[in-house]
Amino acid sequence: MPKITVNNKEIEFENGMTVLQACELAGAEIPRFCYHERLSIAGNCRMCLVEMEKSSKPIASCAMPATEGMKIKTNTEKVEKARKGVMEFLLANHPLDCPVCDQGGECDLQDQSLYYGFDKSRFKENKRKVKDKYMGPLIKTIMTRCIHCTRCVRFATEVAGVTEIGAIGRGENMEITTFLEKSMESELSANVIDLCPVGALTSKPYAFEARPWELKKTETIDVMDAVGSNIRVDTYGWEVKRVLPRLNEEINEEWISDKTRYACDGLLKQRIDKPFKRENGKLIECSWDEALNIVGSKIKETDKNQIGFHAGDMLSMETINSLKEFAKKLSIPNYEFREKPFYLNSDNKMNYIFNSSIKGIEESDCIVLIGTNPRHEATMLNARIRKAFVAKKIPIISFGDPGDLTYDYTNAGNSTEDIKKLLNKENETSKILLNSKKPIIIIGESALELESAKFILQGIKKFLKENNFINDNWNAFNVLLQNASSVGAIDLGFFEKDNSFNFFNKLKNNEFKLLYFVGSDNLDFVKSNEFIIYQGSHGDRMAQIADVILPSPAYTEQNGLFINLEGRLQKSNKSTYPPGSSKEDWKIFNLVLNNLKENEKFKNFVELRTDTISKIKNHTDFDLLPKKTIQDLKFETGSFINEPIYVNEIDYYFSNSIARSSKTMSDCRAARSKKLNKITGS
């Protein structure tokens, strides 16, 4: 490996590194504003100046490739003077409004100016004034603070895949803006707030809410989709003030989706904080004892085969496990987690997880999508696909039309007949796949809803195995489930394993006499004469038709385990406390059992968690991928029907009860609709 000398210390570095990266390997701290390790190099700010032997002037370390034998100094008088000069120019037009700036306490410019800044300016001219720009309901702009680092421009183009932020003008007159000053059309747009090193781009919903040092910070995970993005929840008292990304190279890197970040204000709205019962067609407040007596008496008087349980999309594994044991105690056979009937095979864990891993997408040389829109179903996974596309220009092929995915793809057909041709090696897609070394096939829930779902799933698996794309080093077979609770529910067996969809048929035909919904708000269900028990945190769709409501905490208000789409076990940590008289889900099941004079299955949370972990398939440890499951693969044959492949549209900003309660998500949805209406002329 080549060597470089930094401050008289010789170190080895990898080819392709910049001087800045090599200096950091040596332990030298280099100030920067425009440089970011996940973005292209701009070299705008010049704050990263260092002294190089045989160079007459300081060099920008972020833009200079490191080469063998270089001698660099980062702490000389010459370097310090140069950086102070740069800082003086940066502050020449920067407003002195730190006390009212939301970036205060987290501002790179503020931090660096403490060391390299002056207490007085030598410039007598008036400071520049720039008109604020409109960038949508999430991003607040105060463009007079902008230092032209262009991080936001590069992120939008390179990572988000929407070329909607750019620069106009030159030099001091340069301005950052969106084209035609419209809302930024990306599910990743708010990441530019984190990237901005000054207070030019700040969070509009969070504006003037709190200072960072006032907030309690809890490291946890996101449950808005099945990706399991690592997040930090900041709270002030009971209220969740903001959600920020945590670095995790394996999953979300340092980005999160806008829904993950901003649906949190929905945690404060439409909350269920007390039990309710329905009398004379109206929901009225009642005590826990009253509610439990009604629930207990209804369960007692109803035939067990006419009672159904449904688990929602954001439930922890502990809740689902305790719900299943609750159903078993009462000898109730009808329970489901799926919101629509789609094919599942739980014989082997690889049949329902993303086996290539999210990070593994970057190793792929070909990606095939079948009945899925990863941009809306798993935003951070889609960002990885774009990263692989930008880096290597890999072919991306789709069966079914997903719409705009932020990268180029080829539509190989919109029917199951086209997939049959792929399996028989009769089309161009099969040739591309066979010529690749590490392909990835992603099967979405829209494909699993087809009558030919078993044929597709088993056929793809067999095709990949026969062509050595499922082996000890690589597994190209991937299923993309949409909800945070899905993989965990499958591990726990909380569904009808025979794929007869008896639960959904009974639901459709109103054959149930009693339905117990736990955090379930997305079912396509029309009430007839059923008695509805709703247990959850928000007064959403099912709560509105319920006969009894039992309040339970949201995901930020209780500890829980989740398994993401890769099969990775993650901890969700309690960051705040539930409102009113809400009780944890498993405790409510115990109270109902007590009312029915039945023995409790779990006495405490530790016992519940231990039992839950023992039921996880192929479990290794927290935050790790599961054990490989390619042994003893079964290849079944499913019936084939030539039918169209539709990619079901997701109401992205309103996909769950928390998001539907969020004013910010409502504003985002309205902004997108307004933009689409203008484009279509409707």
Side-chain angles (χ1 to χ4, degrees):
M1 290 179 70
K3 294 181 179 179
I4 188 173
T5 303
V6 179
N7 298 332
N8 300 319
K9 179 182 177 182
E10 191 175 72
I11 59 148
E12 293 182 338
F13 66 94
E14 295 179 13
N15 285 319
M17 278 188 167
T18 63
V19 170
L20 187 150
Q21 291 169 321
C23 288
E24 290 191 332
L25 285 178
E29 187 175 340
I30 309 292
R32 83 291 301 265
F33 292 117
C34 69
Y35 174 80
H36 193 279
E37 53 273 13
R38 301 189 197 277
L39 304 176
S40 61
I41 294 168
N44 292 335
C45 72
R46 322 307 283 184
M47 196 66 200
C48 63
L49 293 173
V50 296
E51 192 174 347
M52 182 176 71
E53 190 179 58
K54 298 180 181 178
S55 175
S56 59
K57 57 183 181 180
I59 63 165
S61 59
C62 71
M64 176 67 72
T67 57
E68 173 72 45
M70 269 187 173
K71 293 184 178 180
I72 303 295
K73 292 192 176 174
T74 68
N75 52 8
T76 65
E77 186 179 342
K78 185 178 182 179
V79 168
E80 187 173 330
K81 187 177 179 182
R83 290 175 183 171
K84 284 185 175 181
V86 170
M87 179 61 70
E88 189 173 11
F89 278 116
L90 289 175
L91 295 176
N93 281 309
H94 197 80
L96 301 176
D97 59 352
C98 295
V100 296
C101 178
D102 270 316
Q103 195 82 352
E106 298 173 317
C107 177
D108 292 347
L109 184 67
Q110 198 176 52
D111 294 342
Q112 296 298 339
S113 66
L114 288 173
Y115 187 80
Y116 296 107
F118 295 92
D119 59 344
K120 292 181 181 179
S121 175
R122 291 182 290 177
F123 293 95
K124 304 298 182 185
E125 297 85 357
N126 292 329
K127 289 181 180 282
R128 174 191 62 174
K129 175 68 177 166
V130 182
K131 181 185 174 184
D132 294 338
K133 308 295 190 294
Y134 176 74
M135 291 192 180
L138 304 180
I139 305 168
K140 179 184 177 183
T141 64
I142 303 177
M143 303 312 294
T144 303
R145 299 171 183 162
C146 180
I147 60 170
H148 305 156
C149 71
T150 69
R151 280 186 180 183
C152 54
V153 178
R154 287 173 283 148
F155 174 84
T157 305
E158 297 163 16
V159 179
V162 291
T163 54
E164 294 187 358
I165 300 182
I168 56 175
R170 298 183 64 187
E172 187 182 67
N173 297 318
M174 176 178 165
E175 294 183 22
I176 303 294
T177 182
T178 55
F179 298 128
L180 303 177
E181 294 192 28
K182 300 296 182 183
S183 177
M184 185 177 170
E185 187 63 31
S186 171
E187 295 77 21
L188 299 171
S189 65
N191 287 288
V192 299
I193 296 167
D194 297 335
L195 284 170
C196 184
V198 295
L201 306 178
T202 57
S203 173
K204 191 176 284 186
Y206 176 68
F208 306 122
E209 285 288 321
R211 288 298 193 183
W213 54 84
E214 298 175 314
L215 302 174
K216 175 191 169 189
K217 302 167 179 64
T218 306
E219 294 186 349
T220 183
I221 60 160
D222 171 53
V223 299
M224 295 291 137
D225 55 29
V227 173
S229 297
N230 284 222
I231 59 173
R232 193 189 83 196
V233 176
D234 290 359
T235 56
Y236 186 86
W238 170 71
E239 297 183 20
V240 175
K241 288 296 184 182
R242 63 178 184 177
V243 173
L244 297 176
R246 280 193 297 128
L247 178 67
N248 189 314
E249 298 289 357
E250 303 287 323
I251 302 174
N252 58 299
E253 298 184 294
E254 59 187 89
W255 322 120
I256 54 173
S257 71
D258 291 346
K259 184 164 59 177
T260 298
R261 188 185 296 267
Y262 284 120
C264 62
D265 66 328
L267 292 165
L268 308 175
K269 307 279 193 330
Q270 287 187 239
R271 292 302 303 268
I272 302 170
D273 58 356
K274 297 179 181 68
F276 288 85
K277 64 179 181 180
R278 191 174 294 275
E279 280 189 5
N280 301 320
K282 293 183 178 180
L283 285 169
I284 61 170
E285 187 183 322
C286 65
S287 67
W288 269 101
D289 287 340
E290 285 182 273
L292 291 168
N293 286 333
I294 296 170
V295 171
S297 64
K298 284 292 180 180
I299 291 175
K300 275 182 187 177
E301 67 187 42
T302 308
D303 184 283
K304 306 303 182 194
N305 290 315
Q306 293 180 315
I307 298 176
F309 290 97
H310 193 270
D313 55 327
M314 296 184 289
L315 295 187
S316 69
M317 288 192 70
E318 290 95 341
T319 296
I320 296 172
N321 186 29
S322 58
L323 178 57
K324 185 179 180 182
E325 293 298 331
F326 176 59
K328 285 170 67 177
K329 276 274 186 183
L330 301 176
S331 303
I332 296 170
N334 307 303
Y335 44 79
E336 258 297 347
F337 78 91
R338 289 172 287 189
E339 294 169 350
K340 292 180 180 179
F342 61 82
Y343 175 76
L344 271 178
N345 184 333
S346 61
D347 293 342
N348 190 302
K349 192 153 185 165
M350 71 158 282
N351 290 332
Y352 54 90
I353 66 169
F354 200 92
N355 296 285
S356 302
S357 78
I358 296 172
K359 191 176 183 180
I361 292 171
E362 296 180 39
E363 301 178 38
S364 172
D365 53 2
C366 174
I367 297 175
V368 178
L369 309 174
I370 302 177
T372 181
N373 176 353
R375 179 174 180 180
H376 291 164
E377 294 171 17
T379 303
M380 297 318 305
L381 185 141
N382 191 68
R384 286 286 183 145
I385 297 175
R386 172 168 173 80
K387 186 178 180 182
F389 174 78
V390 171
K392 299 189 289 186
K393 295 293 184 274
I394 61 174
I396 300 175
I397 302 160
S398 178
F399 290 92
D401 184 11
D404 184 11
L405 293 177
T406 71
Y407 41 79
D408 297 333
Y409 65 91
T410 303
N411 190 331
N414 296 315
S415 73
T416 52
E417 182 67 34
D418 298 306
I419 296 178
K420 191 176 183 181
K421 289 178 180 178
L422 163 67
L423 300 178
N424 294 332
K425 304 178 184 178
E426 296 173 355
N427 58 13
E428 189 63 29
T429 304
S430 60
K431 294 177 184 177
I432 296 171
L433 270 173
L434 294 171
N435 288 328
S436 61
K437 294 180 179 178
K438 287 187 174 182
I440 284 177
I441 293 184
I442 305 174
I443 304 171
E445 286 187 18
S446 296
L448 298 177
E449 290 176 28
L450 299 172
E451 292 186 54
S452 302
K454 185 176 180 179
F455 172 85
I456 294 170
L457 192 100
Q458 298 294 339
I460 292 290
K461 185 169 63 173
K462 188 178 180 182
F463 174 88
L464 293 173
K465 183 63 178 165
E466 288 176 347
N467 292 284
N468 199 34
F469 294 134
I470 298 178
N471 53 57
D472 290 335
N473 299 315
W474 186 254
N475 191 334
F477 182 81
N478 302 282
V479 174
L480 176 53
L481 297 178
Q482 297 175 12
N483 295 333
S485 61
S486 294
V487 176
I490 299 171
D491 269 8
L492 295 170
F494 197 83
F495 68 105
E496 293 176 331
K497 295 183 180 180
D498 61 357
N499 288 294
S500 63
F501 307 128
N502 185 52
F503 181 92
F504 293 98
N505 293 331
K506 282 186 173 182
L507 198 69
K508 185 180 179 181
N509 298 324
N510 300 105
E511 294 177 23
F512 288 116
K513 298 298 181 186
L514 188 151
L515 283 164
Y516 199 136
F517 295 123
V518 183
S520 174
D521 288 291
N522 294 334
L523 271 177
D524 185 13
F525 170 68
V526 179
K527 183 180 179 180
S528 179
N529 296 314
E530 300 92 343
F531 187 87
I532 307 292
I533 301 165
Y534 178 78
Q535 181 175 313
S537 60
H538 283 73
D540 203 60
R541 295 169 178 172
M542 295 306 175
Q544 293 168 15
I545 61 171
D547 296 287
V548 174
I549 296 176
L550 306 174
S552 65
Y555 77 101
T556 55
E557 297 158 4
Q558 58 184 332
N559 295 311
L561 298 176
F562 290 84
I563 300 181
N564 80 338
L565 53 80
E566 307 168 288
R568 195 188 300 268
L569 182 63
Q570 298 176 292
K571 285 182 183 178
S572 173
N573 296 315
K574 182 177 180 179
S575 55
T576 182
Y577 48 89
S581 59
S582 301
K583 300 181 186 295
E584 291 177 57
D585 291 298
W586 69 275
K587 289 182 179 178
I588 296 175
F589 302 142
N590 278 354
L591 290 172
V592 177
L593 287 171
N594 290 335
N595 187 275
L596 294 167
K597 305 296 189 288
E598 296 281 350
N599 294 325
E600 299 172 356
K601 171 70 176 178
F602 304 107
K603 301 296 182 184
N604 53 62
F605 185 76
V606 174
E607 187 180 325
L608 171 58
R609 173 162 286 188
T610 304
D611 184 77
T612 303
I613 293 174
S614 70
K615 296 173 180 175
I616 297 173
K617 294 182 179 180
N618 304 86
H619 175 54
T620 49
D621 204 349
F622 289 108
D623 300 315
L624 298 180
L625 293 172
K627 296 173 185 174
K628 291 181 179 177
T629 59
I630 63 172
Q631 299 82 13
D632 305 319
L633 286 182
K634 295 178 182 177
F635 303 107
E636 303 172 29
T637 304
S639 58
F640 173 77
I641 299 172
N642 187 16
E643 55 189 316
I645 300 173
Y646 297 107
V647 180
N648 296 327
E649 183 60 33
I650 295 174
D651 193 349
Y652 176 76
Y653 292 111
F654 271 20
S655 62
N656 58 62
S657 58
I658 296 175
R660 287 190 288 271
S661 302
S662 166
K663 182 184 181 300
T664 307
M665 292 295 97
S666 181
D667 292 342
C668 289
R669 187 171 182 253
R672 174 170 287 187
S673 298
K674 186 178 179 182
K675 192 168 184 177
L676 287 173
N677 290 340
K678 282 189 176 181
I679 293 171
T680 58
S682 58

